[in-house]
Amino acid sequence: MKRDMLKVNKSRAGAFSAVVIAALIALVVTALSFAFRAAPTVTHTHAASGGSITIHVYDTKSEYSTLGGWVWVKGLDSGTPYKLGSTPLSDEEFKKDTNTARPLQVTLSDAQLNKLKDGTAFGLLILKLKSPVNENSKDFNDWFVKDGEQDVMVDLTKAFDDNNHADIYYVRKDTVAYTNIEDAKMALEKITSARFTAKTASGVSVAFETTSAMTNNATSVSILNGDKTVGTSKVMLVGGDKYSGTASFSQLNAGNFDFAADYKLKVEIIPNPASIAKTALIDDRDFIALYESADVQNLEYGAIYSKEKTVFRVWAPFAASVDVKLYSRGSGGDLISTSHAIKRFVDGKFGGVWELTVSGDLNGTYYTYEIDNYGNVVETIDPYAVAAGADGLRGMVVDLDSTDPDGWENDDHLYKLNPNNADVPIIWELVIKDFSASANSGMVNKGKYLAFTEKGTTVPGDPTLKTGVDYLKDLGITYVHLNPTYDFSSVAESDMSNVNSVDAFNWGYDPQNYNVPEGSYSTDPSRGEVRINEFKQMVMALHEAGIGVIMDVVYNHTYATGGQAFHNTVPSYYHRTDASGNFTNGSGCGNETASERSMVRKYMVESLVYWATEYHIDGFRFDLMGIHDVDTMKAIRSALDALDGGKGKQILIYGEPWSGDSGDYIPPSFTARRSATTAAIAGTGKYTTNTSTNKLVKQLYFSNSKSMSALGDRIAAFNGTGRDGVRGGSWDIDVRQGWINGNTSEAGAVKKMLEGGCGSEGSGMATSNGSQNAACISVHDNFTLWDHLIGKASSKETPLFYDDPIASCVSMTQTASAANLMSSGMTVFIAGEEMARTKYANHNSYNSPVSLNALDWRRQKDFKAVYDHYKQVIKIRKAYKTMFSYSGSVNKSNCTGNFTGSDASGLIVFTRNVGGQKLVCIFNPTDAAVSVSGMGGMKVYVQNGTVKNNTPSSASMSVAAKGTIILGSLTI
């Protein structure tokens, strides 16, 4: 995932005027950074004819000078920072005594205004400002310090006046905001939050905050169950803060606690009680036994369709009520009906499951759930939805068989259709829009799934330069890794002019609906079945070309918490929390999911099985896999293995073993869940177990040994130490040198990667065998390989420089890539690396224009020497299938070799003998040619940047500076 990611328009070398070059450099310099919240930030240009919002912010403690606001329009933008006004408005009514609210003034573009009027939610967070604030940045983390605040979503449909102005009234730290001043005034005497913190045999504890001052050990508090008082106590203030308190109640304890009850807290100085959240009890043994039973875990959820009826089933254990709303369209349109779901009882027990059966053929009907959790009623899309309308706000009932394209019955996984390609993973990573969006792609369906179905495409004006899938077949790669293609939040699908704009761009690491294809890549996002059909057409076209399809999956965090289906359905269950009940942030995006919890693990496992079976997906790449726990990853591997009579073992799994934090923080909720489930809990199901040794994957990678062995076979991790060893690490604009570009002492990390992490040479990420190794040197994160080697290292940043095939950098690229492509396990590289892809030193192009991100297919001509070298080394890897078989890489002996002839200068001579076949790779990262002896009697495949056609080798071979020689026993 991208945590460090500009805008620049690109043209060909020689076509730049001085003015254009200057403008491009200026754009590079003013690059935007990635927002470490739930999604990247976007800078808005506010139309004069748009609208405005005044957020009246009341803070109990009057800390107004330290506060600011982060606001966004759900599904349209990712957020904009503001400061609070320093003084109250002259006619401000939102006040208590002498404490008067301060204004936060928001301007809206026409697009934002229209979305809000149409019912799209407005999101806000009021937080403490950093000191100092970097006001030149639009990055969330350059502005705010997040301290447990939760997203607040506001419906402004009826709030705008004739001048397109709306008012919002908000009490800091409340979970609700108001558009009516009279309703808002009630919040000035309110319990803004209440939650159970513990449940034992001797009693329960509750933590809460109010907007009225309390007195330590004097203010009376009670717990109510309906109209009945079940416990009374006195407040204990937290740290002397008169608005924050705790209370303990011996009258309610583990013996008589009712999870199904809507317990409320009553504070004597506050008019109305508030529901007490059970967040801290989600990892309680009693909760697990009751709400995560075998029956609950074995059920199918979502809109379960047949022509005769549809069963709507959702797990919402804290809900007081669940309604199903049916619509004629995915957005707007008529409300057809609202019906009450009923609780599902098994043996007289309610396990949190709600159901509704509707007779008739509902194919194509849209639906939402309206759920009451703790008195907060929200309308939400079904988290289990497999189809959706534009913007992913309503699910769609769908007959999946009707979405199959012609010929789909003959499609299957790559391991059946082309077993040789399937077993030698050479993975080309790209964003769908990058593939076809440029003017020189020669493709008609620019930025769409259907671009992959086009055949015979070439660069306009030069029919010798293939593009599209024909190009991929010529190059020889065996898998395409698609950056997120599930439904993500950052592109407004309901605005077709926006969807079809080449610059409506985002990498997609802002998850919204995990089981629904992204709509902006389809020709009609408003019809849920279209995106499914066109996604399948893409898969089928790639399979026909002998290429597998890998999905980039982002289960580690959600785009948001408030307003997101998981949190709307079961508040706080799907995300990890700290000791105070706040969301933890291992993702660097404001939250992290809790894979160790039964229903989260079930969701992940079954979601992946769904994509593998319904869409014939051949592999999965896990974003920030380090956040997930080892037991869950093993459960995923086991479930995929069982598919297709055991042939699912050939479905690939790999991911990033790191996280968005330092790696040493373990959330308290993870520890609590592991402790609760280490011993078997009677009645629970297959997703419950957490072994006593269960760890987060990041704990393996960030350990001193960096050993990934505990992951098990055929779960691979990106070899970050190998990547950095080859070309140097990079973070933001800090680029370091590696083995190929000046720091030859990193040769040990390269050796470790070549042997798939399981050899005895060198140091770095360690594995049990090569099936745990995903070698790479550049992907969408950070600089492209060409930019890393050429621009930053030389402090050259003009576009002309990045387009110039400088010989020394060509040699470095050839040698670095050969080390990657000759590594055991699987090998991954960013699309276009083989033609020296550049983003002009933009290391974080997640929302930059397509003019920067799209593949420039013309570069294959200017960088033909690079392309030809990649193509030949790929051919070598496929020819030595015995050596590079992924299924065979579980055997350590198939992955390792010897490094006789290597020396302290950084020279690597790597010899492998497997199955009677011999392969020798000689890599010289130094600035001088070297001679290597003992190479007679073999065939040369590449030599110092030149492709050789099985040329007989000499006993002594001269390896040029920064050069590579690969030779072996086979004729290829």
Side-chain angles (χ1 to χ4, degrees):
M1 170 188 178
K2 193 61 236 172
R3 272 149 305 283
D4 48 42
M5 304 186 208
L6 140 146
K7 290 190 175 182
V8 65
N9 292 312
K10 182 183 180 300
S11 181
R12 293 293 286 168
F16 286 94
S17 68
V19 174
V20 174
I21 293 173
L24 289 166
I25 297 171
L27 285 168
V28 173
V29 173
T30 58
L32 294 178
S33 297
F34 179 73
F36 287 89
R37 193 181 154 273
T41 60
V42 176
T43 303
H44 305 294
T45 302
H46 301 305
S49 58
S52 60
I53 299 171
T54 299
I55 305 175
H56 307 256
V57 179
Y58 177 87
D59 180 45
T60 301
K61 302 176 185 179
S62 298
E63 297 177 335
Y64 297 111
S65 63
T66 69
L67 301 179
W70 177 265
V71 304
W72 65 98
V73 179
K74 182 175 171 61
L76 183 63
D77 62 75
S78 301
T80 304
Y82 289 90
K83 283 187 173 182
L84 257 63
S86 59
T87 58
L89 298 175
S90 59
D91 56 348
E92 184 62 76
E93 299 178 74
F94 197 39
K95 58 186 177 180
K96 182 177 178 182
D97 302 323
T98 60
N99 185 355
T100 306
R102 300 295 192 271
L104 189 151
Q105 305 287 8
V106 177
T107 55
L108 301 172
S109 67
D110 281 335
Q112 292 173 309
L113 177 66
N114 292 334
K115 292 285 286 185
L116 294 173
K117 284 187 173 183
D118 285 343
T120 299
F122 178 79
L124 68 90
L125 279 166
I126 303 299
L127 315 101
K128 281 201 170 183
L129 295 165
K130 275 195 167 181
S131 181
V133 169
N134 178 7
E135 295 192 44
N136 292 322
S137 170
K138 299 299 181 183
D139 189 311
F140 181 89
N141 275 3
D142 288 338
W143 276 74
F144 302 109
V145 179
K146 201 168 189 293
D147 183 26
E149 295 87 353
Q150 296 190 19
D151 300 346
V152 177
M153 310 305 296
V154 190
D155 182 356
L156 296 177
T157 309
K158 300 178 181 179
F160 288 97
D161 60 21
D162 292 340
N163 295 316
N164 290 326
H165 178 83
D167 289 282
I168 295 174
Y169 303 89
Y170 177 67
V171 175
R172 185 183 172 211
K173 293 197 173 182
D174 201 350
T175 57
V176 181
Y178 303 88
T179 57
N180 181 291
I181 183 63
E182 296 306 319
D183 292 339
K185 287 178 180 178
M186 301 287 290
L188 297 177
E189 301 286 344
K190 184 180 179 180
I191 302 169
T192 55
S193 68
R195 61 183 182 85
F196 289 106
T197 56
K199 173 180 73 67
T200 66
S202 58
V204 298
S205 300
V206 179
F208 52 97
E209 294 189 5
T210 68
T211 54
S212 296
M214 297 177 288
T215 303
N216 191 55
N217 207 28
T219 301
S220 178
V221 292
S222 305
I223 290 182
L224 310 177
N225 185 359
D227 295 330
K228 181 181 178 182
T229 299
V230 296
T232 59
S233 185
K234 299 292 184 182
V235 68
M236 296 294 293
L237 296 181
V238 178
D241 180 354
K242 57 188 177 181
Y243 303 101
S244 300
T246 63
S248 298
F249 302 87
S250 59
Q251 305 94 329
L252 186 63
N253 55 53
N256 60 10
F257 190 90
D258 181 3
F259 274 99
D262 182 14
Y263 292 114
K264 288 183 166 58
L265 187 73
K266 179 69 175 72
V267 179
E268 64 172 314
I269 58 174
I270 303 293
N272 297 315
S275 293
I276 311 174
K278 303 182 181 76
T279 305
L281 307 184
I282 285 170
D283 300 306
D284 181 274
R285 289 177 60 90
D286 294 337
F287 176 90
I288 297 168
L290 179 60
Y291 292 119
E292 301 176 32
S293 66
D295 172 72
V296 169
Q297 291 185 39
N298 289 334
L299 288 173
E300 179 183 359
Y301 293 92
I304 305 163
Y305 167 83
S306 70
K307 289 187 181 299
E308 295 73 33
K309 65 181 180 181
T310 296
V311 177
F312 297 92
R313 184 181 294 140
V314 66
W315 185 68
F318 296 141
S321 65
V322 175
D323 288 347
V324 179
K325 307 183 80 168
L326 301 182
Y327 292 90
S328 60
R329 293 169 54 192
S331 59
D334 295 330
L335 174 64
I336 298 171
S337 65
T338 300
S339 304
H340 300 298
I342 60 172
K343 291 181 176 179
R344 184 178 191 272
F345 287 89
V346 176
D347 298 329
K349 295 181 179 179
F350 171 61
V353 180
W354 298 77
E355 292 180 335
L356 173 71
T357 300
V358 179
S359 299
D361 190 347
L362 296 186
N363 182 38
T365 303
Y366 294 86
Y367 72 102
T368 60
Y369 295 133
E370 193 168 68
I371 303 179
D372 180 350
N373 281 307
Y374 306 127
N376 183 28
V377 179
V378 296
E379 186 174 0
T380 183
I381 190 172
D382 180 2
Y384 302 97
V386 297
D391 298 329
L393 301 178
R394 294 174 184 166
M396 189 184 87
V397 181
V398 62
D399 175 3
L400 286 167
D401 288 342
S402 70
T403 67
D404 294 346
D406 292 341
W408 185 248
E409 68 277 8
N410 299 318
D411 189 70
D412 214 317
H413 290 96
L414 189 68
Y415 57 71
K416 282 188 176 179
L417 300 172
N418 193 325
N420 287 332
N421 276 7
D423 198 33
V424 184
I426 305 167
I427 302 167
W428 200 71
E429 185 222 41
L430 83 154
V431 176
I432 282 180
K433 205 158 195 173
D434 292 353
F435 186 66
S436 56
S438 76
N440 62 56
S441 74
M443 289 174 253
V444 175
N445 295 285
K446 296 189 184 302
K448 305 298 183 184
Y449 298 123
L450 293 181
F452 292 84
T453 69
E454 299 182 41
K455 297 179 180 179
T457 59
T458 60
V459 171
D462 192 342
T464 66
L465 298 180
K466 295 178 182 179
T467 66
V469 172
D470 286 352
Y471 169 92
L472 298 183
K473 290 169 66 176
D474 185 71
L475 178 61
I477 57 101
T478 57
Y479 288 87
V480 163
H481 161 162
L482 299 173
N483 294 122
T485 54
Y486 55 75
D487 188 40
F488 52 81
S489 182
S490 50
V491 177
E493 299 169 354
S494 56
D495 181 357
M496 286 303 295
S497 63
N498 175 60
V499 167
N500 291 326
S501 165
V502 292
D503 288 336
F505 186 87
N506 200 292
W507 282 348
Y509 292 93
D510 47 343
Q512 183 160 305
N513 296 304
Y514 287 100
N515 293 331
V516 179
E518 166 60 16
S520 66
Y521 295 145
S522 73
T523 59
D524 188 355
S526 69
R527 296 168 55 205
E529 75 279 10
V530 172
R531 61 179 79 185
I532 298 174
N533 171 272
E534 293 178 353
F535 190 107
K536 290 178 177 178
Q537 288 190 59
M538 172 185 67
V539 172
M540 192 163 63
L542 285 164
H543 281 167
E544 184 183 343
I547 298 169
V549 180
I550 294 170
M551 275 188 68
D552 199 326
V553 291
V554 191
Y555 295 107
N556 67 81
H557 75 282
T558 54
Y559 165 68
T561 48
Q564 200 276 336
F566 282 160
H567 192 64
N568 285 346
T569 307
V570 193
S572 297
Y573 179 86
Y574 290 89
H575 300 93
R576 294 186 184 128
T577 52
D578 63 18
S580 299
N582 302 319
F583 294 123
T584 52
N585 190 22
S587 67
C589 297
N591 64 80
E592 60 182 293
T593 52
S595 58
E596 64 280 359
R597 291 179 177 150
S598 307
M599 296 301 282
V600 183
R601 182 177 290 163
K602 169 185 168 68
Y603 188 95
M604 290 175 63
V605 170
E606 295 180 2
S607 173
L608 290 159
V609 168
Y610 170 73
W611 282 104
T613 53
E614 182 63 32
Y615 292 92
H616 306 168
I617 297 299
D618 303 293
F620 300 96
R621 177 268 191 192
F622 286 77
D623 181 66
L624 293 186
M625 184 173 68
I627 286 173
H628 303 317
D629 67 291
V630 172
D631 285 357
T632 293
M633 295 308 303
K634 287 183 173 180
I636 290 166
R637 182 70 272 175
S638 178
L640 293 176
D641 285 356
L643 297 178
D644 206 4
K647 291 183 178 179
K649 289 183 177 181
Q650 297 175 75
I651 294 173
L652 303 179
I653 294 179
Y654 60 102
E656 297 174 305
W658 44 78
S659 57
D661 60 5
S662 61
D664 56 359
Y665 177 74
I666 308 303
S669 63
F670 173 77
T671 303
R673 173 61 61 144
R674 187 179 64 180
S675 176
T677 57
T678 294
I681 299 174
T684 54
K686 60 184 176 180
Y687 297 112
T688 303
T689 301
N690 287 289
T691 59
S692 60
T693 57
N694 191 22
K695 292 183 177 181
L696 302 181
V697 173
K698 69 176 184 177
Q699 292 178 268
L700 308 180
Y701 186 78
F702 287 119
S703 67
N704 289 334
S705 65
K706 288 191 179 295
S707 175
M708 308 308 295
S709 299
L711 269 179
D713 293 347
R714 294 172 295 106
I715 303 175
F718 274 113
N719 199 321
T721 55
R723 173 203 62 198
D724 293 351
V726 171
R727 49 91 164 138
S730 66
W731 188 253
D732 197 30
I733 60 172
D734 176 20
V735 174
R736 303 173 183 87
Q737 292 176 307
W739 164 80
I740 193 59
N741 54 341
N743 183 10
T744 54
S745 66
E746 287 285 356
V750 183
K751 291 179 180 180
K752 197 74 172 175
M753 185 175 74
L754 284 165
E755 293 193 287
C758 60
S760 57
E761 289 270 354
S763 62
M765 191 185 82
T767 65
S768 295
N769 56 63
S771 76
Q772 296 179 318
N773 181 57
C776 65
I777 45 175
S778 74
V779 289
H780 66 278
D781 282 327
N782 305 312
F783 300 102
T784 66
L785 177 62
W786 183 255
D787 288 354
H788 188 111
L789 295 179
I790 193 170
K792 289 295 178 180
S794 304
S795 298
K796 305 280 190 178
E797 296 188 7
T798 69
L800 285 173
F801 185 76
Y802 288 105
D803 287 332
D804 185 2
I806 298 173
S808 61
C809 294
V810 166
S811 296
M812 284 193 290
T813 300
Q814 291 168 330
T815 296
S817 63
N820 181 35
L821 288 165
M822 291 289 97
S823 291
S824 293
M826 63 178 69
T827 180
V828 187
F829 60 99
I830 190 173
E833 185 186 286
E834 73 284 354
M835 45 181 158
R837 184 177 182 178
T838 182
K839 296 183 185 180
Y840 301 100
N842 181 343
H843 63 95
N844 191 4
S845 66
Y846 71 97
N847 68 345
S848 297
V850 164
S851 53
L852 177 78
N853 279 292
L855 286 172
D856 183 352
W857 295 94
R858 297 167 299 183
R859 287 178 75 90
Q860 60 182 294
K861 182 175 182 179
D862 292 342
F863 292 88
K864 187 175 186 302
V866 176
Y867 174 85
D868 288 346
H869 200 272
Y870 270 78
K871 181 177 176 179
Q872 180 75 342
V873 179
I874 287 170
K875 185 178 179 182
I876 297 166
R877 187 178 181 94
K878 293 167 78 173
Y880 282 84
K881 183 182 180 301
T882 303
M883 230 170 258
F884 292 106
S885 161
Y886 191 68
S887 58
S889 69
V890 297
N891 300 313
K892 182 177 177 179
S893 60
N894 284 355
C895 305
T896 53
N898 71 74
F899 291 94
T900 303
S902 303
D903 62 35
S905 71
L907 175 73
I908 295 176
V909 181
F910 182 40
T911 303
R912 295 174 68 187
N913 288 280
V914 178
Q917 300 172 358
K918 182 178 181 180
L919 183 68
V920 181
C921 302
I922 311 172
F923 308 112
N924 176 20
T926 72
D927 294 325
V930 296
S931 181
V932 178
S933 60
M935 296 293 116
M938 289 181 284
K939 299 174 179 65
V940 182
Y941 309 129
V942 294
Q943 182 172 3
N944 302 325
T946 302
V947 172
K948 299 288 186 177
N949 293 315
N950 303 298
T951 305
S953 63
S954 303
S956 179
M957 304 289 291
S958 178
V959 194
K962 308 295 184 184
T964 296
I965 297 177
I966 302 178
L967 59 165
S969 58
L970 296 180
T971 299
I972 66 167

